[in-house]
Amino acid sequence: MVYDARSVSGSRSRKDATRPAAGRRPRATAATADTEADLAAERPTALTGDEPDTAPDEAPVTLRLDGKVALVTGAGSPDGIGYATARRLRDLGARVAIVSTTRRIHDRASELGVTGFVADLTDEAEVGALADAVTDQLGDIEVLVNNAGLASRTSPEVLRPVAQLTYDEWRAEIDRNLSTAFLCSRAFVGSMCERGWGRIVNLAATAGPINALPTEAAYAAAKAGVLGLTRALAMELVADGVNVNCVAPGTIYTAASTVTEIKQGLGTPIGRPGTPDEVAAAIAFLCSPAASYITGQMLVVDGGNSVREAEFR
């Protein structure tokens, strides 16, 4: 099933896209400080070896997402990271929604047996309409993968030196790669905080947070911004049970890969480009209950390329 957010983007969304996320837990007051101190004194300070491996109210560590509602953005390509991620989350038991800017998402949704939506995620009104539609059809989103923004053949990366880069080109790259993550995160964090559980995984890149190449300043700046957004949001939501992380792929082989990019992949320590499934595996882990003690982090998936100091001979 495909929903086109553009059909209602002119009307006011039932949800206020600018509403703040649910507040943090109340700070301790003078009236509660003594009680909390007494409770703390009663807690054991160290394990003795006789205690169970997990606390009585602690959920078991699992990769399964049974019953969770997940949204993966930028899943229109059949051999892209978004599509591979949606498939993996579905296989882990999640009820998955996918979104892209064109109606080809209908084909991807049919192939995966999930629900598809069409929306321009750089448009605030369309993101608000999308949030309403996903919630109405599937329920509150508990897992959000902000994959939209990676370059494709239909929407190529702007490659131009800063001195020749127009302001419109700069803004387009920032909007596509950073604003989409901001708008989608803002649309769904409120319900995650209300439920007391959530996972957000943003797609950064090695370009920007770790390194850069000439002519890619806008893209690198946007992806560095994704890391900053991830860390700030993680600290804002940590008390509400919502973990926020990002994955930074290096050279990944997709239909949009250029010959130059493939050659770069062959030059990594592992000796080949990565695959969308390998990136999806990292994303899925960070989406799972097993990643409960990980937040504000960036997981690099680049075949070790960012680690080495010099080319191997």
Side-chain angles (χ1 to χ4, degrees):
M1 183 174 184
V2 171
Y3 173 85
D4 193 340
R6 296 184 182 86
S7 64
V8 296
S9 60
S11 61
R12 182 176 178 83
S13 168
R14 291 199 309 276
K15 293 185 177 180
D16 183 357
T18 64
R19 69 180 182 182
R24 295 171 65 90
R25 292 169 184 162
R27 295 181 181 273
T29 63
T32 61
D34 292 339
T35 301
E36 291 183 356
D38 292 340
L39 291 173
E42 295 174 2
R43 299 189 189 107
T45 57
L47 295 178
T48 64
D50 298 328
E51 293 81 358
D53 292 336
T54 59
D57 60 346
E58 184 178 338
V61 174
T62 178
L63 294 173
R64 297 292 303 178
L65 289 166
D66 297 296
K68 302 293 186 185
V69 180
L71 173 65
V72 181
T73 70
S77 171
D79 62 354
I81 293 172
Y83 184 85
T85 299
R87 180 173 58 215
R88 188 170 288 266
L89 297 184
R90 178 206 63 186
D91 292 346
L92 289 173
R95 299 170 57 206
V96 179
I98 55 178
V99 59
S100 76
T101 57
T102 67
R103 291 191 63 81
R104 67 174 179 168
I105 201 69
H106 176 76
D107 297 328
R108 306 291 85 79
S110 297
E111 293 160 6
L112 292 172
V114 301
T115 306
F117 297 84
V118 179
D120 179 357
L121 301 182
T122 66
D123 185 299
E124 183 177 14
E126 291 197 24
V127 173
L130 171 69
D132 282 349
V134 174
T135 302
D136 288 345
Q137 294 188 35
L138 298 177
D140 289 334
I141 292 295
E142 297 160 279
V143 174
L144 172 63
V145 178
N146 283 313
N147 173 70
L150 296 178
S152 68
R153 286 177 176 174
T154 58
S155 182
E157 181 184 350
V158 177
L159 297 175
R160 205 185 309 279
V162 169
Q164 301 173 18
L165 195 65
T166 70
Y167 186 46
D168 286 342
E169 289 171 336
W170 169 269
R171 292 200 304 178
E173 284 291 285
I174 298 297
D175 284 346
R176 180 174 65 179
N177 291 286
L178 178 57
S179 298
T180 51
F182 160 69
L183 290 172
C184 288
S185 296
R186 189 182 66 175
F188 294 107
V189 291
S191 62
M192 290 183 185
C193 292
E194 290 168 4
R195 297 174 69 91
W197 194 94
R199 297 286 188 269
I200 299 175
V201 178
N202 298 319
L203 265 291
T206 52
I210 296 174
N211 52 40
L213 292 170
T215 75
E216 64 174 13
Y219 178 81
K223 290 305 184 181
V226 168
L227 175 58
L229 173 65
T230 297
R231 289 175 170 167
L233 196 56
M235 294 300 97
E236 290 179 7
L237 304 180
V238 66
D240 295 303
V242 180
N243 292 21
V244 188
N245 294 286
C246 67
V247 171
T251 302
I252 307 300
Y253 182 73
T254 70
S257 297
T258 65
V259 173
T260 299
E261 289 170 339
I262 294 172
K263 288 181 178 179
Q264 290 171 349
L266 295 174
T268 64
I270 284 185
R272 61 171 176 82
T275 68
D277 281 334
E278 289 172 319
V279 181
I283 295 170
F285 166 68
L286 292 174
C287 290
S288 73
S292 57
Y293 201 57
I294 304 172
T295 195
Q297 303 303 309
M298 180 176 71
L299 177 55
V300 177
V301 184
D302 72 344
N305 202 49
S306 59
V307 175
R308 65 182 179 188
E309 184 175 351
E311 294 286 341
F312 288 103
R313 293 194 176 99

